[in-house]
């Protein structure tokens, strides 16, 4: 239930905080000739900063220069947003299947297996994309640092001119996007075990447990000892039945004998039981 509720929500938040970001920098330039110029620099997703340009005064009459920011961070940002969108769509699809197509989902165990594999894949994608985006965000902050931008402007490098930063970019949304990326990873990774339990694969493994060689030797010794004890008990009972005694008549009688011919007594019992053989030479 937590997966159904939070997975689409966190995916949307990760997409919105990153894909919908727009930053702005404003700088005021006071030239030596008392002229003032306000410069506005805007950048947004997908952070192709090398395409962002602005005009800065040279403090030499009306002359201006065109400057560009440095860096292309589009690949990591787009990868992160793509994972967010795909995770959101799959979460919605999985929610619909869980609610309305539960029988189809469990038919031949295909649905749980596919769900387990997709969950494993999205966990890996969230981890890789979040790490890449966190590193890329650090580069974006460095490239758009106001001190770096002031160094790009010729008028601000001259000591007779004055430059002041009026507005700096706010990084709260982008920092939250990184946090939501890692939250999505923990959410999907935590769901791997539950998706695996739905497949039923762990039950088949527990149904046929493997026996170690030590257990096999122990069971063999136990079986052999038991068989020996049973055979010994049967043999002991047979020993007391070798002769018939008549206590009522005050005497006893011996069984009929054949001189010179040994008689073979075998244990009476189960044909599968094995006991010792007794050779008696009755005289």
């Amino acid at each position: 239930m937590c997966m159904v509720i939070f997975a689409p929500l966190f995916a949307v938040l990760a997409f919105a905080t990153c894909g919908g970001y727009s930053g702005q920098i404003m700088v005021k330039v006071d030239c030596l000739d008392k002229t003032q110029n306000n410069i506005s620099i805007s950048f947004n997703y997908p952070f192709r900063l090398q395409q962002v340009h602005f005009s800065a005064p040279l403090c030499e009459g009306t002359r201006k220069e065109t400057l560009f920011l440095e860096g292309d961070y589009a690949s990591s940002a787009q990868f992160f947003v793509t994972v967010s969108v795909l995770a959101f769509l799959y979460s919605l699809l999985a929610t619909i299947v869980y609610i309305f197509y539960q029988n189809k989902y469990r038919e031949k165990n295909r649905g749980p297996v596919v769900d387990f594999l997709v969950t494993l894949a999205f966990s890996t994608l969230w981890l890789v994309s979040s790490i890449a985006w966190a590193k890329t965000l650090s580069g974006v902050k460095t490239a758009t640092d106001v001190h770096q931008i002031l160094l790009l402007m010729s008028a601000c490098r001259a000591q007779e001119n004055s430059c002041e930063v009026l507005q700096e970019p706010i990084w709260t949304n982008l920092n939250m996007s990184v946090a939501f990326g890692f939250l999505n990873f923990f959410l999907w990774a935590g769901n791997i075990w539950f998706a695996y339990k739905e497949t039923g694969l762990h039950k088949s493994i527990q149904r046929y447990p493997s026996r170690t060689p030590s257990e096999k030797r122990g069971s063999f010794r136990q079986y052999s000892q038991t068989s020996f004890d049973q055979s010994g008990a049967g043999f002991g009972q047979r020993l007391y039945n070798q002769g018939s005694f008549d206590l009522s008549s005050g005497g006893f009688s011996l069984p009929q004998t054949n001189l010179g011919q040994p008689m073979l007594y075998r244990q009476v019992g189960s044909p599968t039981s094995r006991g010792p053989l007794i050779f008696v030479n009755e005289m």
Side-chain angles (χ1 to χ4, degrees):
M1 183 61 68
C2 293
M3 181 66 182
V4 173
I5 297 175
F6 292 108
L9 177 61
F10 286 171
V12 169
L13 291 175
F15 164 75
T17 52
C18 179
Y21 179 81
S22 179
Q24 188 174 13
I25 303 173
M26 293 188 65
V27 178
K28 183 179 70 171
V29 180
D30 293 330
C31 297
L32 184 61
D33 57 0
K34 304 302 182 179
T35 58
Q36 293 183 353
N37 295 274
N38 291 333
I39 303 171
S40 178
I41 306 170
S42 298
F43 61 94
N44 49 28
Y45 174 85
F47 307 104
R48 291 189 175 95
L49 301 182
Q50 82 279 5
Q51 298 179 0
V52 177
H53 59 87
F54 57 97
S55 297
L58 291 173
C59 290
E60 298 176 358
T62 58
R63 293 179 58 189
K64 293 185 178 182
E65 61 179 349
T66 301
L67 301 175
F68 289 83
L69 299 181
E70 297 178 356
D72 185 2
Y73 305 95
S75 58
S76 298
Q78 290 177 336
F79 178 47
F80 182 79
V81 170
T82 300
V83 173
S84 303
V85 173
L86 293 178
F88 171 73
L89 295 177
Y90 179 78
S91 300
L92 290 182
L93 178 63
T95 303
I96 295 174
V97 172
Y98 293 158
I99 297 175
F100 299 102
Y101 301 97
Q102 187 65 228
N103 295 332
K104 293 290 184 180
Y105 172 76
R106 299 187 178 278
E107 184 177 358
K108 296 182 180 180
N109 206 31
R110 293 178 180 177
V113 172
V114 172
D115 191 21
F116 169 69
L117 295 178
V118 173
T119 302
L120 188 63
F122 269 112
S123 301
T124 305
L125 290 175
W126 273 117
L127 178 62
V128 174
S129 63
S130 298
I131 294 175
W133 171 232
K135 183 178 180 180
T136 299
L137 179 58
S138 178
V140 172
K141 292 180 179 180
T142 302
T144 56
D145 184 69
V146 292
H147 299 288
Q148 296 292 333
I149 294 175
L150 292 179
L151 292 177
L152 292 176
M153 303 168 60
S154 300
C156 295
R157 290 198 300 266
Q159 296 182 356
E160 61 272 12
N161 301 320
S162 176
C163 296
E164 181 184 358
V165 178
L166 300 178
Q167 182 178 347
E168 295 185 11
I170 300 175
W171 305 108
T172 304
N173 288 345
L174 294 184
N175 292 333
M176 290 178 61
S177 67
V178 175
F180 283 123
F182 284 105
L183 283 176
N184 276 285
F185 162 69
F186 289 119
L187 179 63
W188 287 82
N191 193 56
I192 291 177
W193 169 245
F194 298 100
Y196 176 71
K197 288 178 63 179
E198 290 292 329
T199 61
L201 297 177
H202 67 291
K203 295 181 180 179
S204 60
I205 296 176
Q206 295 176 358
R207 188 179 302 174
Y208 303 102
S210 59
R211 300 176 63 184
T212 60
S214 60
E215 293 176 348
K216 294 181 180 180
R217 290 194 298 269
S219 61
F220 176 75
R221 289 196 298 267
Q222 182 179 2
Y223 175 78
S224 301
Q225 182 68 27
T226 304
S227 302
F228 180 76
D229 293 342
Q230 291 177 354
S231 61
F235 173 65
Q237 293 176 0
R238 183 61 181 170
L239 288 177
Y240 289 102
N241 295 328
Q242 298 299 317
S244 60
F245 296 86
D246 188 4
L247 299 179
S248 60
S249 59
F252 65 92
S253 61
L254 295 175
Q256 189 178 3
T257 61
N258 293 323
L259 295 178
Q261 297 182 356
M263 296 184 63
L264 177 63
Y265 286 80
R266 189 179 299 272
Q267 179 185 359
V268 179
S270 174
T272 59
S273 62
R274 296 180 180 180
L277 301 178
I278 305 172
F279 294 89
V280 179
N281 190 2
E282 298 184 2
M283 298 298 294

